[in-house]
């Protein structure tokens, strides 16, 4: 009997909106995803955290660190002077010039971790970032330092959103985004491992710029050319008014939810020789 490749299929954005949270929880209950990351600065986290209670021990439940959507959980006079996070482009430009206030970022990381533990009852199984902000300069160091001070080294893993150039080129979907994130994440895996944290090896699931590509082709590409300990990200959910006010990508969330809940998805896993796991290499 040939053993199957373990793959973490992580649904991002739990807590972003009620419809997203409900869709993720339903897919997790059905065994169609194996991890989810929670945005704990959003009001939807407090409302929907109880949905994860019966899923403890069955899926990986982590912190989806957020510095670009909604409001911070505390004052950030330099990064968010109006009480609202900057868009990704603004944050990225400041981070690349090392003009992000490290003390403010670390304080917000601590608050989001505290909010996770307060409503989930235990530390996160992993940490990643909304729009991959956790790998940005200044942010990554603040994150590693905060997690280390809390004694989390060896207890949780951090998501590396990069992959090898050959694997990216062989996937026909999302190459441009994948290469941009790969450049931003340069050195991240080494920093993580040097600090005593585990990470994945292989990452995919970038959405295409061409919105006409069918969802089954997107997932087929994401589950191809997998690394030794791969993570595939996804963004399923139901569309509601709360989501409409936050995110223009509505159809893709609905289509991903429908595909993952269909018979086509387990058929893809069987074809790829993959099984879902809550942690890399698990």
């Amino acid at each position: 009997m040939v053993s199957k490749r373990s793959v973490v299929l992580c649904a991002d954005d739990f807590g972003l909106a009620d419809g997203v949270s409900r869709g993720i929880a339903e897919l997790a209950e059905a065994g169609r995803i194996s991890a989810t990351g929670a945005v704990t600065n959003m009001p939807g986290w407090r409302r929907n955290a109880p949905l994860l209670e019966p899923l403890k021990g069955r899926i990986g439940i982590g912190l989806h660190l957020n510095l670009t959507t909604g409001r911070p959980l505390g004052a950030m006079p330099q990064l968010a002077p109006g009480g609202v996070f900057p868009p990704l482009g603004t944050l990225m430009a400041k981070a690349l010039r090392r003009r992000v206030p490290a003390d403010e970022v670390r304080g917000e990381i601590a608050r989001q971790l505290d909010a996770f533990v307060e409503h989930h009852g235990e530390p996160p199984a992993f940490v990643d970032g909304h729009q991959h902000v956790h790998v940005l300069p200044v942010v990554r160091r603040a994150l590693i330092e905060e997690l280390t001070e809390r004694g989390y080294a060896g207890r949780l893993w951090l998501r590396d959103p990069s992959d090898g150039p050959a694997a990216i080129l062989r996937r026909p979907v999302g190459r441009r985004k994948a290469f941009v994130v790969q450049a931003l994440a340069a050195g991240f895996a080494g920093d993580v491992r040097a600090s005593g944290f585990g990470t994945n090896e292989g990452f995919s699931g970038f959405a295409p710029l061409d919105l006409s590509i069918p969802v089954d082709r997107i997932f087929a590409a994401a589950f191809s050319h997998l690394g030794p300990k791969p993570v595939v990200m996804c963004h399923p959910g139901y569309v509601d008014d709360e989501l409409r006010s936050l995110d223009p990508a509505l159809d893709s969330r609905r289509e991903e939810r429908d595909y993952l809940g269909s018979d086509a998805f387990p058929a893809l896993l069987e074809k790829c020789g993959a099984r879902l796991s809550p942690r890399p290499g698990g």
Side-chain angles (χ1 to χ4, degrees):
M1 181 177 178
V2 178
S3 62
K4 294 186 176 182
R5 171 77 58 85
S6 296
V7 181
V8 178
L9 179 58
C10 183
D12 291 352
D13 299 338
F14 186 93
L16 182 67
D18 289 353
V20 171
S21 302
R22 179 165 57 91
I24 290 172
E26 290 178 359
L27 290 170
E29 184 64 38
R32 299 303 178 90
I33 61 168
S34 60
T36 188
V39 281
T40 64
N41 71 302
M42 303 298 288
W45 164 242
R46 295 186 294 276
R47 295 194 303 268
N48 291 285
L51 294 177
L52 297 177
E53 188 65 29
L55 297 168
K56 287 182 177 179
R58 296 168 57 186
I59 68 169
I61 302 172
L63 174 67
H64 197 51
L65 178 65
N66 178 20
L67 299 173
T68 58
T69 300
R71 297 178 176 275
L73 292 174
M76 301 183 76
Q78 296 181 64
L79 187 63
V84 177
F85 281 131
L88 177 61
T90 300
L91 176 66
M92 189 183 303
K94 290 183 176 181
L96 292 175
R97 296 197 303 268
R98 307 302 196 274
R99 293 183 179 176
V100 173
D103 57 339
E104 286 190 6
V105 169
R106 183 164 173 184
E108 181 62 17
I109 291 170
R111 289 187 289 269
Q112 292 188 24
L113 283 165
D114 288 344
F116 185 98
V117 174
E118 178 184 358
H119 295 284
H120 187 61
E122 58 189 46
F126 65 90
V127 177
D128 58 28
H130 185 55
Q131 300 180 313
H132 313 293
V133 298
H134 65 301
V135 304
L136 292 175
V138 182
V139 179
R140 74 168 68 170
R141 178 47 49 193
L143 175 61
I144 290 172
E145 288 176 354
E146 181 63 28
L147 294 175
T148 299
E149 186 170 302
R150 289 176 180 240
Y152 288 167
R155 298 172 57 190
L156 58 75
W157 57 278
L158 280 73
R159 190 167 87 181
D160 177 10
S162 67
D163 206 344
I168 294 172
L169 286 171
R170 293 173 72 184
R171 296 186 191 110
V173 175
R175 291 172 182 157
R176 187 180 303 178
K177 291 181 181 179
F179 276 119
V180 170
V181 173
Q182 180 199 43
L184 293 172
F188 178 75
D191 291 345
V192 165
R193 294 190 181 103
S195 300
F197 296 91
T199 189
N200 53 295
E201 298 176 49
F203 184 79
S204 57
F206 289 97
L209 296 175
D210 182 356
L211 300 180
S212 68
I213 297 176
V215 67
D216 59 336
R217 284 183 55 196
I218 295 172
F219 276 95
F223 275 84
S224 67
H225 313 295
L226 297 169
K229 297 180 180 180
V231 170
V232 176
M233 69 173 171
C234 60
H235 298 82
Y238 292 102
V239 175
D240 56 20
D241 289 340
E242 186 177 24
L243 183 63
R244 290 187 183 95
S245 70
L246 295 168
D247 187 357
L250 302 176
D251 291 341
S252 61
R253 290 188 187 267
R254 180 168 44 234
E255 290 168 358
E256 288 192 23
R257 183 206 74 216
D258 290 346
Y259 175 79
L260 291 172
S262 73
D263 292 339
F265 178 59
L268 173 66
L269 293 180
E270 186 65 28
K271 180 180 179 181
C272 296
R275 66 175 180 85
L276 300 186
S277 171
R279 63 189 63 82

